[in-house]
């Protein structure tokens, strides 16, 4: 049975020495350039290998293995390293003593969250959102071109990068937040604003 948990406390995502450091103002320059580089490196390389492997060589197996390795490295890097460093978020699954699976979504609160810069946050979310959309396009293109041999590889890219996207969105909006309720509340607020503005005009 899957259950969702959200730890609303200020969690220790980094080393104790870093947590004990001075409060830093939010900066626009890169604090973690290596993490920012590898956040995009594996996922962009996987896309490039997919696009170029049949043009460079006819070896389907070699291209498939390279893409799956790059996607696996990307999944691990984004889930375990870049999410913590660039946006102070993390998620994981744990199994308790009863054998039940629990999904845990954490986000750092307060001043500690401000240690990440605006530019790193933009890079993180841009890479996290755009690349799964590219794999969705690849999935449609393989279906329309009847290139079925690449469909499992494309689905692997979509699943791995989509899982990270889903996990980090849950961290950002809160682990217990129901997306349907969130959308309903948003559209309800928009409708209320429009109704109030029409009443003020009349």
């Amino acid at each position: 049975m899957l259950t969702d948990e959200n730890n609303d406390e200020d969690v220790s995502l980094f080393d104790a020495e870093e947590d004990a450091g001075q409060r830093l103002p939010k900066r626009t320059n890169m604090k973690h350039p290596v993490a920012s580089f590898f956040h995009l490196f594996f996922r962009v390389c996987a896309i490039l290998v997919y696009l170029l492997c049949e043009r460079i060589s006819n070896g389907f197996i070699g291209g498939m293995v390279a893409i799956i390795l790059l996607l696996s490295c990307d999944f691990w890097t984004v889930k375990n390293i870049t999410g913590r460093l660039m946006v102070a978020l993390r998620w994981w699954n744990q199994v308790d003593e009863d054998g039940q699976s629990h999904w845990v979504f954490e986000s750092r609160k307060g001043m500690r969250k401000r240690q990440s810069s605006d530019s790193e946050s933009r890079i993180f979310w841009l890479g996290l959102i755009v690349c799964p959309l590219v794999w969705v396009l690849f999935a449609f293109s393989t279906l329309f071109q009847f290139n079925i041999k690449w469909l499992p590889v494309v689905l692997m890219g979509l699943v791995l990068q989509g899982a990270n996207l889903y996990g980090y969105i849950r961290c950002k909006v809160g682990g217990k937040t129901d997306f349907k309720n969130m959308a309903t509340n948003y559209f309800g607020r928009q409708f209320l604003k429009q109704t109030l503005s029409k009443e003020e005009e009349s």
Side-chain angles (χ1 to χ4, degrees), residues 17-78:
E17 301 91 27
E18 192 172 336
D19 287 341
Q22 298 287 331
R23 291 183 175 184
L24 298 173
K26 199 163 203 176
R27 300 175 358 183
T28 54
N29 59 341
M30 297 274 215
K31 187 175 178 189
H32 305 100
V34 175
S36 300
F37 171 77
F38 281 106
H39 177 70
L40 298 175
F41 176 75
F42 292 118
R43 52 186 50 215
V44 170
C45 284
I47 291 171
L48 290 177
V49 170
Y50 176 79
L51 290 173
L52 299 176
C53 69
E54 285 196 332
R55 291 176 177 82
I56 294 173
S57 70
N58 292 328
F60 168 73
I61 299 297
M64 179 188 70
V65 169
I67 292 168
I68 290 174
L69 284 175
L70 288 167
L71 289 171
S72 301
C73 291
D74 169 67
F75 179 80
W76 185 88
T77 303
V78 172

Side-chain angles (χ1 to χ4, degrees), residues 4-188:
D4 294 329
E5 288 184 358
N6 182 30
N7 188 353
D8 291 330
E9 298 174 2
D10 189 10
V11 293
S12 177
L13 295 175
F14 302 95
D15 296 334
E17 301 91 27
E18 192 172 336
D19 287 341
Q22 298 287 331
R23 291 183 175 184
L24 298 173
K26 199 163 203 176
R27 300 175 358 183
T28 54
N29 59 341
M30 297 274 215
K31 187 175 178 189
H32 305 100
V34 175
S36 300
F37 171 77
F38 281 106
H39 177 70
L40 298 175
F41 176 75
F42 292 118
R43 52 186 50 215
V44 170
C45 284
I47 291 171
L48 290 177
V49 170
Y50 176 79
L51 290 173
L52 299 176
C53 69
E54 285 196 332
R55 291 176 177 82
I56 294 173
S57 70
N58 292 328
F60 168 73
I61 299 297
M64 179 188 70
V65 169
I67 292 168
I68 290 174
L69 284 175
L70 288 167
L71 289 171
S72 301
C73 291
D74 169 67
F75 179 80
W76 185 88
T77 303
V78 172
K79 181 180 175 298
N80 295 308
I81 298 173
T82 62
R84 293 179 178 194
L85 295 177
M86 296 173 72
V87 290
L89 300 172
R90 72 175 177 176
W91 65 275
W92 72 94
N93 179 275
Q94 64 186 21
V95 179
D96 63 14
E97 296 172 355
D98 299 330
Q100 292 184 339
S101 179
H102 299 275
W103 291 94
V104 183
F105 305 94
E106 290 183 338
S107 63
R108 178 168 281 179
K109 306 284 192 288
M111 288 297 294
R112 291 180 184 174
K113 186 174 182 180
R114 300 190 66 180
Q115 291 178 349
S116 59
S117 70
D118 288 335
S119 55
E120 286 178 348
S121 180
R122 280 193 292 271
I123 289 170
F124 180 85
W125 289 108
L126 187 66
L128 202 68
I129 293 169
V130 170
C131 290
L133 294 177
V134 172
W135 287 105
V136 168
L137 292 175
F138 289 162
F140 283 116
S141 71
T142 55
L143 289 174
F144 290 139
Q145 295 174 0
F146 297 105
N147 199 358
I148 303 302
K149 69 178 182 179
W150 284 104
L151 189 59
V153 178
V154 171
L155 291 178
M156 176 76 73
L158 188 56
V159 167
L160 288 176
Q161 293 192 354
N164 264 331
L165 176 61
Y166 175 77
Y168 282 113
I169 288 175
R170 292 294 300 268
C171 290
K172 185 77 172 167
V173 301
K176 291 184 178 177
T177 303
D178 185 0
F179 287 121
K180 183 178 179 183
N181 290 339
M182 190 174 70
T184 304
N185 291 338
Y186 173 76
F187 289 118

